Every structure is written in C-alpha cells, then in structure tokens.
Amino acid sequence: MDENKIKDAVKMIIEAIGEDPKSEGLAETPDRIARMYKEIFSGMNENPSEHLKKTFTVESDGIILEKDIQFYSMCEHHFIPFYGKAHIAYIPNGKVAGLSKLARTVEVFAKRPQLQERMNLQIAEAIMEHLGALGVMVVIEAEHMCMTMRGVKKPGSKTVTSITRGKFAEDQKLRDEVYRMIKI
C-alpha cells in the first residue's frame, strides 16, 4: 500500500472541499487516513487459506453454524462503510476448522473494497475449497452507510444476502434449518 499517495490524495480532497490542509485540525488528517486505510484494507494481501489450513478430524456430518460474526467493510462504489453480521453454516467432510478461523476468513474478505454479494461468494468458495465441505451456506446482514448517510437516507435498512453450495444448494430443508438456527 502506498501511504504517501494516500496522504497526497487526502490533501487534495481537503483542498477541493475548500479547507486548508495546513490548519490545526486538518494538518495530521492525511497521515491518520493513510494509517486507517492500511488497517481497514489489510485483507488485500491476505489469503483465507492461511486461516483455514489448520483443521481437525471429525466423523460428524451435522450442520456447523458460526453466527453473528461482526464485520466492517468498505463499499467499493462509494468508499463508505457497510457493517453487519455474517453467518456461516457448513457440513464437514471429515474435517472442521477452529471456530475463530471462520471469523478470520470473514475478516480477510471484509477488509477489502467490497460488495456484500461478492463477499458472500468469496467466503462460501473459500470454505468449500479449503475445508472440502459437503455444503456451505453464508448469510450476511449489513447496513450500508451509502444508504444511511447519503442518497436515499434510510437509516436502519439492512441488506440480507445468502449463497449456498453443495448440499445446501440441493436441499431446501437444510437451508430452512439454518434460517431457523440464525432466526431470520
């Protein structure tokens, strides 16, 4: 990440809105924003396989659900945050990941310029690929600041997306069970 380019760009934005980038309150803003972008876009160079490679052998084929995984991301259209909860259900095929690894996988994809719909797909595909799951279902509920603070200005509205792979794509009863478990 080129922090100096970010600082220069922020200075230009400050000037473009009619403010003085050298004023007391704004003088350090370009540096703060560059550090913030480094943190909130840290998933750009991270691979989910690093988190999903540590697995444990199991003989269960029941649904495993990690729900209410909080995340914060940045809408790639407006560079304004969206945030919410991800719910991940999967059916193991002989191996499971540690529960924190599912949350870390969400973070990898959330910490990129993102679309909620793409994030669903990326999480589901990573779990299918790296865990060899028999099926996966990812549901994301998020509030988008581009809907809340600008444009249509509808605070509290949420976007809910879901994606299924494997057994979840084939079996409506399994999907319904997951929805019951997460209470949507």
Side-chain angles (χ1 to χ4, degrees):
M1 188 167 300
D2 190 334
E3 290 182 61
N4 287 325
K5 263 189 175 176
I6 294 169
K7 291 176 194 178
D8 291 343
V10 171
K11 285 177 195 167
M12 288 173 52
I13 290 170
I14 292 169
E15 290 170 350
I17 64 169
E19 285 286 345
D20 178 5
K22 293 177 184 156
S23 71
E24 181 181 22
L26 294 170
E28 295 176 24
T29 297
D31 186 55
R32 281 191 293 271
I33 290 176
R35 288 192 318 269
M36 176 188 70
Y37 277 8
K38 186 175 183 177
E39 178 184 342
I40 65 177
F41 293 126
S42 63
M44 296 286 296
N45 299 312
E46 204 173 345
N47 189 324
S49 66
E50 288 302 310
H51 302 295
L52 295 171
K53 69 182 176 185
K54 175 68 174 163
T55 61
F56 306 95
T57 303
V58 295
E59 293 183 27
S60 169
D61 63 354
I63 296 171
I64 296 172
L65 172 66
E66 180 73 15
K67 68 180 201 171
D68 297 331
I69 302 168
Q70 292 287 133
F71 72 88
Y72 299 88
S73 191
M74 290 287 270
C75 165
E76 72 178 24
H77 295 145
H78 302 101
F79 264 43
I80 296 177
F82 70 96
Y83 56 92
K85 299 182 281 189
H87 315 284
I88 301 171
Y90 72 101
I91 299 172
N93 188 15
K95 60 184 180 178
V96 296
L99 296 177
S100 70
K101 304 311 182 195
L102 298 178
R104 291 184 191 283
T105 300
V106 170
E107 284 297 298
V108 166
F109 294 117
K111 290 187 177 266
R112 300 175 178 185
Q114 195 56 277
L115 294 175
Q116 181 173 331
E117 301 85 348
R118 182 185 309 121
M119 197 165 110
N120 268 78
L121 177 65
Q122 290 169 330
I123 294 166
E125 288 183 347
I127 291 168
M128 289 297 286
E129 177 184 346
H130 300 294
L131 295 184
L134 296 174
V136 67
M137 183 170 171
V138 179
V139 178
I140 297 177
E141 307 172 64
E143 186 166 342
H144 293 249
M145 297 302 289
C146 57
M147 290 266 302
T148 298
M149 66 182 283
R150 59 156 304 279
V152 71
K153 295 183 182 125
K154 297 296 178 201
S157 63
K158 290 190 177 163
T159 301
V160 179
T161 53
S162 72
I163 192 163
T164 57
R165 292 289 184 262
K167 286 189 174 188
F168 287 106
E170 301 161 6
D171 190 336
Q172 181 66 47
K173 287 182 189 176
L174 283 174
R175 291 192 300 275
D176 290 345
E177 178 65 17
V178 171
Y179 286 129
R180 275 192 297 280
M181 290 169 78
I182 60 177
K183 294 180 174 69
I184 288 185

